[in-house]
Amino acid sequence: MFGGSLRNYCLLLPPALQLLNFPPQQQPEEEVPRPLVRFEYPSGHQLRLVPRRLRARRAVPDGDASRPQESGNGPNLDVIFMRRCYLMAGLFSTTTAIMAMILSKAIPLGIDLVMPGFICAMVSLLVLFLLSIGTKCRKFYWFSFILAGLFVSLSGMGVILVIWHRNLVYVCIALLAASTVILIFYFAGAWLPKVVLPGEAAILLLIVVFVVASLFVMTMFIFTDKLIYQVVYFFLLAIMLVPTSLYNAQVVHGRRFKLPVYEFVICAVNVYLHFLLFFTAFYYIIWTPIW
């Protein structure tokens, strides 16, 4: 009964038990070859892939965030700042020099214009104060240009109206002397070693000494009414302008610290202020009844 092949025995099993058997493996069908499609393009048009070089962006310091990035072929940012500063300062000084020569010839000597000149000088100091404290507003060029133009016009007019005996010859001599010393001291501040040039501490000490000495000299001039004290005061002013010009030259040339590009306006105003004060000091030293 149990004889025979194993195949016959499996056929006698119930259908449920036959489901446990693995299904027979089917033979893979033959793959049908697919047609190959080729896209032809004109020989004149070829795709050229050129590798692109990736350059890392140069980090910009916080103080120079408003400056444009340096270019390899163009001038340095310090040179651009210096050129703009000296160009505007030269424009301011030339305008004041022409105005001084015209007014010294046009206004008669007998007219007393001390009070209008004093008012113009005081208003110009107020404008300079607003320009100095407006650090955030100086980023806008229109703000700096308007206040700088007002200061130059009012201060030049005030100094010319205040000076005594507006003689054209003395005015031209004082303008020539002021221009010469400005060129000499700013050239020295740009090229001399920093060891021999004044720093912040030296400038602060000199300002304190100048203020104390000026108060004493002007008090003596008011109570004694002697012109010698007036001459001494303008001598002190001329001496004080020497280290301040040397220090400002270092700032303009970027030797002390770097300034943003928009700060060239306030630096040009400082150069012009030194020129105007040198002119005033030399005029009163040249013209005085004592000589």
Side-chain angles (χ1 to χ4, degrees), residues 251-262:
V251 177
V252 172
H253 289 267
R255 302 184 66 185
R256 284 291 171 182
F257 44 83
K258 305 294 182 180
L259 291 177
V261 176
Y262 59 84

Side-chain angles (χ1 to χ4, degrees), residues 81-266:
F81 183 87
M82 177 195 64
R83 289 176 181 176
R84 291 180 180 179
C85 176
Y86 285 139
L87 181 62
M88 181 162 286
L91 179 62
F92 291 161
S93 302
T94 304
T95 303
T96 302
I98 295 174
M99 184 170 57
M101 289 185 291
I102 293 175
L103 292 180
S104 62
K105 193 67 177 178
I107 299 176
L109 295 178
I111 300 178
D112 187 9
L113 298 175
V114 176
M115 186 55 65
F118 180 77
I119 294 174
C120 291
M122 291 298 102
V123 175
S124 67
L125 291 179
L126 177 61
V127 174
L128 180 61
F129 177 74
L130 294 177
L131 181 61
S132 300
I133 65 174
T135 307
K136 300 296 183 181
C137 297
R138 286 201 301 265
K139 295 181 180 180
F140 305 100
Y141 285 106
W142 60 266
F143 177 82
S144 299
F145 289 157
I146 291 175
L147 292 186
L150 288 175
F151 171 74
V152 170
S153 303
L154 293 174
S155 60
M157 181 69 68
V159 169
I160 296 168
L161 296 180
V162 166
I163 59 176
W164 296 346
H165 300 279
R166 289 172 292 273
N167 192 329
L168 181 59
V169 177
Y170 292 158
V171 167
C172 293
I173 294 175
L175 289 172
L176 182 60
S179 303
T180 304
V181 296
I182 281 291
L183 292 176
I184 292 174
F185 293 140
Y186 272 82
F187 183 82
W191 293 103
L192 287 179
K194 292 177 63 177
V195 180
V196 300
L197 295 176
E200 289 80 2
I203 292 297
L204 181 60
L205 179 61
L206 288 173
I207 289 176
V208 173
V209 173
F210 173 74
V211 170
V212 174
S214 300
L215 289 176
F216 173 77
V217 173
M218 294 306 294
T219 303
M220 295 298 297
F221 174 73
I222 292 173
F223 283 102
T224 61
D225 199 15
K226 294 182 179 180
L227 294 179
I228 186 62
Y229 292 107
Q230 176 184 340
V231 177
V232 171
Y233 170 77
F234 285 107
F235 263 117
L236 292 176
L237 178 61
I239 293 172
M240 179 59 194
L241 289 173
V242 174
T244 54
S245 300
L246 293 174
Y247 178 80
N248 193 45
Q250 300 175 69
V251 177
V252 172
H253 289 267
R255 302 184 66 185
R256 284 291 171 182
F257 44 83
K258 305 294 182 180
L259 291 177
V261 176
Y262 59 84
E263 293 290 354
F264 77 93
V265 181
I266 189 67

